[in-house]
Amino acid sequence: MPKTLHLTLTYHWWDKVSGGEKKAEYRRFTANWRKRLADVRPGDSIVFHRGYTNRTLTRRIEQIRVIGGWDLPNEVYQFFKCPNESQFFEIQFR
């Protein structure tokens, strides 16, 4: 049965997703995110919430993979305060 992952984004990141500029979402590789993403598969839905408003966007997950901090896009790398040695989930969507 398909799952739905709900993520709350700040207005800045939500606007980039809605404008088609952002094609992946990043989350730190923590126990909490490992648990939340354990049952999520490609083809499942991802619903982005614009802050705590009722504006949403729904996309399909293409791939979830683990990447290093060095592999984050520049703006995301700066957002996470230059986490060179950290690991992250990259959730790619269409």
Side-chain angles (χ1 to χ4, degrees):
M1 177 172 213
K3 303 277 183 182
T4 301
L5 176 65
H6 292 269
L7 298 178
T8 302
L9 302 179
T10 64
Y11 289 26
H12 172 77
W13 297 116
W14 194 92
D15 291 345
K16 289 189 177 284
V17 171
S18 71
E21 185 178 339
K22 191 168 192 254
K23 303 282 188 203
E25 179 58 22
Y26 301 90
R27 294 292 192 245
R28 290 187 184 275
F29 190 78
T30 62
N32 177 53
W33 282 107
R34 285 193 297 272
K35 183 179 176 182
R36 282 191 67 186
L37 296 174
D39 296 330
V40 179
R41 302 282 179 253
D44 289 347
S45 296
I46 184 169
V47 177
F48 295 107
H49 298 265
R50 189 173 195 247
Y52 291 95
T53 68
N54 32 342
R55 292 186 68 187
T56 62
L57 292 169
T58 302
R59 301 286 186 264
R60 290 275 175 215
I61 295 173
E62 285 186 355
Q63 178 181 4
I64 299 176
R65 64 186 188 136
V66 177
I67 63 169
W70 291 106
D71 298 320
L72 292 170
N74 191 46
E75 187 176 11
V76 177
Y77 180 84
Q78 298 298 325
F79 175 81
F80 281 113
K81 311 274 190 268
C82 308
N84 300 338
E85 305 303 324
S86 300
Q87 287 187 310
F88 293 83
F89 284 107
E90 180 184 55
I91 306 164
Q92 296 176 2
F93 52 87
R94 58 176 180 255

